[in-house]
């Protein structure tokens, strides 16, 4: 029985690492398939535009990588509050910034993926968050995955909303 449990949790970790990599690449393809003018256009029923979402992803990844480095290095070290949620309004990301933001996001994401792939038993480590208390690496990564999925689907909705009538879907894009 213990071998089954170890395999079950090990598979979930590999799944999360794989999801982090794949969602980041899918998000990049969605953004790269959009017209520049649509990157700053307001998304229907959303508070941010695509440029702001990409900036948020880059800033979030920077914060998450720092927190994960702290947590995997020393179990129980303090970690900081996530502040990236405020950056889209503070930074005023523009369409001209998107290529650089995507590159930085993907570069940081690859560092995150390598860190997690080599983390081993550090997946069980915790960081001490100022408001939440102890947070495990595993929980932190699950939250990253959920955030990425939310951002990807918001960008997908924007791309679909801005696609000219009758224009073909991007290759491999879901028809949702």
């Amino acid at each position: 029985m213990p071998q089954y449990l170890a395999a079950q949790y090990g598979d979930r970790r590999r799944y999360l690492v794989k999801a982090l990599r794949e969602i980041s690449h899918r998000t990049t393809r969605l953004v790269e398939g959009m017209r520049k003018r649509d990157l700053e256009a307001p998304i229907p029923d959303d508070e941010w535009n695509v440029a702001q979402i990409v900036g948020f992803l880059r800033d979030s990844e920077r914060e998450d990588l720092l927190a994960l480095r702290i947590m995997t290095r020393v179990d129980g070290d303090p970690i900081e509050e996530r502040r990236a949620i405020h950056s889209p309004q503070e930074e005023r990301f523009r369409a001209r910034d998107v290529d650089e933001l995507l590159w930085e996001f993907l570069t940081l994401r690859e560092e995150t993926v390598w860190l997690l792939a080599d983390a081993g038993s550090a997946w069980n480590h915790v960081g001490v968050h100022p408001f939440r208390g102890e947070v495990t690496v595993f929980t932190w990564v699950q939250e990253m995955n959920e955030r990425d999925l939310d951002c990807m689907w918001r960008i997908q909705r924007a791309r679909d909303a801005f696609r000219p009538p009758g224009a073909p879907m991007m290759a491999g894009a879901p028809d949702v």
Side-chain angles (χ1 to χ4, degrees):
M1 185 72 131
Q3 291 174 335
Y4 171 73
L5 290 176
Q8 178 185 6
Y9 289 113
D11 289 343
R12 181 72 176 140
R13 293 171 186 167
R14 281 195 306 270
Y15 165 79
L16 284 171
V17 171
K18 184 176 189 265
L20 288 178
R21 178 180 282 131
E22 290 179 4
I23 293 170
S24 66
H25 289 288
R26 171 73 178 130
T27 300
T28 299
R29 286 191 307 274
L30 284 170
V31 172
E32 288 174 343
M34 293 182 70
R35 297 175 300 209
K36 290 290 183 190
R37 70 174 181 244
D38 293 338
L39 297 174
E40 284 187 56
I43 301 171
D45 301 321
D46 204 315
E47 60 187 306
W48 295 343
N49 61 43
V50 173
Q52 290 172 319
I53 293 170
V54 174
F56 167 68
L57 284 169
R58 191 273 318 261
D59 290 351
S60 295
E61 194 67 24
R62 187 178 288 150
E63 291 177 355
D64 291 335
L65 180 56
L66 176 62
L68 289 169
R69 283 180 178 151
I70 290 168
M71 288 190 275
T72 57
R73 187 181 63 235
V74 179
D75 191 16
D77 261 7
I79 54 176
E80 294 184 17
E81 173 65 18
R82 289 174 165 152
R83 296 230 358 104
I85 194 75
H86 305 291
S87 67
Q89 284 81 16
E90 293 171 359
E91 300 280 338
R92 304 214 189 292
F93 298 114
R94 301 284 182 232
R96 68 178 181 272
D97 304 324
V98 169
D99 290 338
E100 184 176 331
L101 292 168
L102 278 172
W103 176 255
E104 290 175 15
F105 168 60
L106 287 172
T107 301
L108 291 165
R109 176 53 56 92
E110 281 304 309
E111 289 183 51
T112 300
V113 165
W114 281 104
L115 175 73
L116 293 171
D118 292 338
S121 64
W123 276 85
N124 299 317
H125 285 191
V126 297
V128 181
H129 190 272
F131 306 112
R132 298 171 59 189
E134 291 185 347
V135 180
T136 65
V137 169
F138 187 82
T139 299
W140 197 272
V141 174
Q142 282 181 314
E143 292 169 0
M144 289 173 64
N145 184 54
E146 290 169 8
R147 176 205 59 226
D148 286 359
L149 284 169
D150 177 62
C151 288
M152 182 186 72
W153 287 113
R154 290 166 73 180
I155 293 169
Q156 176 73 50
R157 281 195 319 269
R159 196 187 64 77
D160 290 347
F162 301 138
R163 186 177 58 238
M169 292 285 296
M170 187 171 97
D175 197 15
V176 270

